[in-house]
Amino acid sequence: DSGVTQTPKHLITATGQRVTLRCSPRSGDLSVYWYQQSLDQGLQFLIQYYNGEERAKGNILERFSAQQFPDLHSELNLSSLELGDSALYFCASSPGPVSGNTIYFGEGSWLTVV
Amino acid sequence: EDQVTQSPEALRLQEGESSSLNCSYTVSGLRGLFWYRQDPGKGPEFLFTLYSAGEEKEKERLKATLTKKESFLHITAPKPEDSATYLCAVQAGGQNFVFGPGTRLSVLP
């Protein structure tokens, strides 16, 4: 158990809908990262927050947004969903912003868009 | 642009047959190289962090080594429970992690 908690574990929704994925980082970690992993695809970095502020942005679509709250939990919002958005979405956390910190992953939220 | 490649893409071993997985990287200013294990449908599980060339780390049947251009994950006398995808990632400068595509390892009894 990495200490990173993600909910929900599984989600099935229709195209055009909006969903919110939730992540609680490990105790004491200030950075939260979101990754997408499609079937047979590698881990794609979406976005990082550090202590409530956006720190880095990767290949995140404009239909997707995220935020980190004062209690350090984070939410990833996915809107106008398309079939291609079906994937495993992982949250990870680390103590600091970057610079050699190991990041620890949650078990993921499996999103299926039908 | 920072790049990470892994080879082989897939590897089948008999139980007890030792082998090595390779991770080659092209980055400016390596801050850390990380190995993870991922089981199907699960989150990547942290294995090792290596920071400088020449560094080695061991855990049970796994040993990770690092040079200036690549890292190896040596698996000694593997067991079926070692079957998983092994991911390598690098972190350079102020940038975020770049993950390789992974090596799918199958260990047959």
Side-chain angles (χ1 to χ4, degrees):
Chain A
D1 182 4
S2 68
V4 179
T5 304
Q6 289 188 247
T7 57
K9 292 194 186 324
H10 296 93
L11 191 57
I12 301 174
T13 191
T15 55
Q17 295 299 304
R18 181 179 189 273
V19 298
T20 297
L21 309 181
R22 194 179 193 279
C23 169
S24 294
R26 294 187 321 153
S27 177
D29 284 358
L30 299 179
S31 268
V32 169
Y33 309 75
W34 286 98
Y35 283 83
Q36 180 192 56
Q37 189 174 44
S38 303
L39 208 60
D40 295 328
Q41 295 290 314
L43 280 163
Q44 300 295 317
F45 169 66
L46 297 178
I47 197 164
Q48 179 204 358
Y49 279 81
Y50 174 69
N51 204 20
E53 300 289 326
E54 183 183 302
R55 173 83 181 184
K57 226 170 187 176
N59 302 320
I60 188 166
L61 300 172
E62 284 192 14
R63 301 183 285 108
F64 296 0
S65 65
Q67 58 184 132
Q68 186 179 28
F69 295 87
D71 67 353
L72 301 176
H73 91 272
S74 178
E75 292 180 356
L76 178 66
N77 300 296
L78 313 174
S79 61
S80 302
L81 285 166
E82 301 175 359
L83 295 177
D85 297 327
S86 296
L88 256 173
Y89 290 85
F90 289 109
C91 171
S93 74
S94 70
V98 210
S99 284
N101 278 201
T102 298
I103 64 174
Y104 294 88
F105 285 83
E107 287 302 304
S109 291
W110 192 287
L111 173 66
T112 303
V113 182
V114 297
Chain B
E1 185 181 328
D2 298 341
Q3 285 197 335
V4 180
T5 58
Q6 291 187 247
S7 62
E9 184 177 322
L11 181 62
R12 268 192 173 186
L13 299 173
Q14 289 295 133
E15 184 172 1
E17 180 187 0
S18 302
S19 188
S20 296
L21 313 182
N22 175 266
C23 170
S24 295
Y25 61 91
T26 307
V27 297
S28 303
L30 181 73
R31 294 293 178 90
L33 184 140
F34 305 81
W35 281 99
Y36 291 84
R37 167 198 170 122
Q38 186 176 25
D39 293 304
K42 300 282 190 179
E45 175 190 343
F46 170 70
L47 294 174
F48 303 108
T49 305
L50 301 166
Y51 291 106
S52 56
E55 191 174 356
E56 298 183 353
K57 287 198 177 165
E58 284 189 70
K59 179 181 177 180
E60 295 180 355
R61 295 178 292 282
L62 300 176
K63 178 179 173 181
T65 62
L66 180 64
T67 72
K68 286 187 178 178
K69 293 291 183 187
E70 58 191 350
S71 176
F72 291 94
L73 184 66
H74 307 279
I75 302 178
T76 302
K79 298 182 178 182
E81 53 261 42
D82 294 323
S83 297
T85 296
Y86 290 85
L87 298 168
C88 165
V90 297
Q91 196 263 313
Q95 303 306 309
N96 265 292
F97 282 57
V98 176
F99 277 85
T103 293
R104 288 191 314 277
L105 174 66
S106 299
V107 182
L108 307 175

